[in-house]
Amino acid sequence: MAGEKFYITTAIDYVNQKPHLGTAYEKIGADCMARYKRLRGFDTYFLMGTDEHSTNVEKEAVKRGLEPKKYCDEMSERFQSTWKKLEISYDDFIRTTEGRHLAAVLDLFKKIDDNGYIYKGKYEGIYCESCEEFLNEKDLVDGLCPVHRIEPKVIKEENYFFSLSLFEKPLLEHIEKHPDFVQPKIRAHEVINVIRGGLDDVSISRVGKKWGITLPSDEGHVVYVWFDALINYISALGFGGDDTRLFERYWPADVHVVGKDITRFHCIIWPAMLMAADVQLPRQVYAHGFVSLEGEKMSKTRGNVIDPEKMAEAFGADGLRYLLMREVPFDKDGDISVESLVTRYNSDLANELGNLFSRTLAMISKYFGGELSGVMVPNESQLKRELEEAITQYYGDMDRMAFSRAITGYWSIIQRANRYIEEKRPWDLARDESKRDELASVMAELVMVLRSSGVILFPFMPVKMADMLTQLGVGKPDMELLPFDSMEVSGIAPARPLFPRIDSIPDNLA
Ligand code: MSP
């Protein structure tokens, strides 16, 4: 496993609106996975980016009196700064207005064209500019786009088409042969149904537009925004450029993490484009669910609460990451409220984990002056056995991106360790000199749990867990050292608190 590569990507966000809790949810999930894989020794590459050639982006720029590129520069900066505040550890950030992206789009377009899968034809149909999608009459509700409730544009123009219809069979065969290609299963069923329902060729260029990638062979056309955007996953690796080393090392992607609303693009159009260009397909598309706030869609809800930066100010970046991953299972939709997050924060982080940590450090300082030397966790330790089982379970859950299960499964160890303190009553042991060894081994078991927790929970809470590990005398998180059952403990001092209690709804979210 060590040294094996792992390439993970997220959807690239449209820059016509600010990052919100929904888009942040996706990036946090992908980041937890990337950090987990790094800890497991994978040569991990994590890509994010911004999707800039959208009509909505152009419109928004015009509204503000800015050149589209200038507006994108500002917004892309803003996205990157938010992601940094949320401790998202991407290795590269691709913008679809970059030269390297342009090179890849033109190259892939040419390969598909050379292979005979692009033709010029007349497009007559309807297009929702908010979806950036060609629609079918049968999808409309009262003549309006079902998502945006706006009237779609009637388009009659000469376009380039991609022969998607020729890929029905190869796509179905691929999905059948690779049952993990679309995850979770429910999304695979949906995708299979769409393909079985029949695929039409898709228009991949627009005329009369300035904002977008112009086709050198036919300058009246710009590339359709989705055709352009999907290619980011390879343009960032140098595909179509002079230096293709990253592409050779990391492609095919191990997982594209995207929302459930864009599976048609990622599980049908994108793999067909790659097949048409003789490029390998990604190993998996993981379509996560949607998070909503107090039953409302993100776009309609109170500004501050959906602003991930404001949320991170209230709960800490790590607190927010933990809460989102704990409360909304990655494969499902989930609704959250500020109140429920405060309750969860206090019960899990301030009380259970925070107290376990501060009580243990306080006892080691008080009873042993902060030093425990050559202490082993006893072989027959029940806690160690349970911890080992929990770690195996955790690996399984993380490998499937079942983050909420990974957390709740592991949390039983933290609760167990707190109960263990109550059962063992170290304060009584400390009064009896003959029980000194027993007291030391109880402390060792607690240190084992805490050090393990620091590593296990590191992907979710990188800053707090690094702090916790430092206070426990561990230099850096290392999964090879799990479950930390033999130890030297020195220099332990009373804890600097990790998760201060939140007593009321934070002001900036009220
Ligand atoms: N630009 C396209 C993606 C192109 S990928 C080649 C796009 N952008 S988006 O800004 O609308 O959405 C970005 C990602 O955020 C998508 O994966 C989308 O599903 C996800 N989410 C948007 N709202 C969300 C929630 N409320 N909850 C969870 N994810 C959400 O689509």
Side-chain angles (χ1 to χ4, degrees), residues 72-117:
C72 289
D73 290 346
E74 282 172 18
M75 289 303 286
S76 187
E77 268 305 310
R78 168 148 202 180
F79 271 82
Q80 293 175 61
S81 129
T82 300
W83 302 145
K84 296 218 166 94
K85 287 188 182 135
L86 300 185
E87 302 296 335
I88 311 284
S89 61
Y90 52 81
D91 295 293
D92 194 5
F93 196 90
I94 180 87
R95 299 182 52 192
T96 55
T97 46
E98 284 177 64
R100 57 178 174 156
H101 182 70
L102 171 76
V105 171
L106 297 184
D107 195 51
L108 197 82
F109 193 99
K110 184 163 181 311
K111 287 202 163 73
I112 300 176
D113 195 14
D114 289 347
N115 284 344
Y117 296 110

Side-chain angles (χ1 to χ4, degrees), residues 29-130:
D31 187 60
C32 292
M33 191 63 177
R35 287 179 181 274
Y36 164 71
K37 287 287 180 179
R38 285 190 200 113
L39 287 182
R40 298 230 51 200
F42 283 77
D43 167 16
T44 303
Y45 203 70
F46 177 22
L47 176 73
M48 296 195 353
T50 39
D51 188 355
E52 306 184 8
H53 288 134
S54 137
T55 310
N56 291 316
V57 171
E58 188 185 15
K59 276 189 189 157
E60 198 56 41
V62 170
K63 212 161 92 188
R64 290 159 196 254
L66 290 172
E67 279 297 312
K69 178 61 170 50
K70 175 112 202 340
Y71 172 65
C72 289
D73 290 346
E74 282 172 18
M75 289 303 286
S76 187
E77 268 305 310
R78 168 148 202 180
F79 271 82
Q80 293 175 61
S81 129
T82 300
W83 302 145
K84 296 218 166 94
K85 287 188 182 135
L86 300 185
E87 302 296 335
I88 311 284
S89 61
Y90 52 81
D91 295 293
D92 194 5
F93 196 90
I94 180 87
R95 299 182 52 192
T96 55
T97 46
E98 284 177 64
R100 57 178 174 156
H101 182 70
L102 171 76
V105 171
L106 297 184
D107 195 51
L108 197 82
F109 193 99
K110 184 163 181 311
K111 287 202 163 73
I112 300 176
D113 195 14
D114 289 347
N115 284 344
Y117 296 110
I118 289 180
Y119 63 92
K120 209 168 183 180
K122 253 219 146 45
Y123 183 81
E124 273 203 57
I126 47 177
Y127 188 82
C128 172
E129 283 192 342
S130 284

Side-chain angles (χ1 to χ4, degrees), residues 2 66 77 84 150 177 193 208 250 342 352 363 391 469 487:
L66 290 172
E77 268 305 310
K84 296 218 166 94
I150 55 171
K177 256 212 228 137
N193 282 339
Y250 290 113
V342 170
E352 291 176 341
M363 290 189 287
I391 292 169
L469 286 168
M487 62 193 70

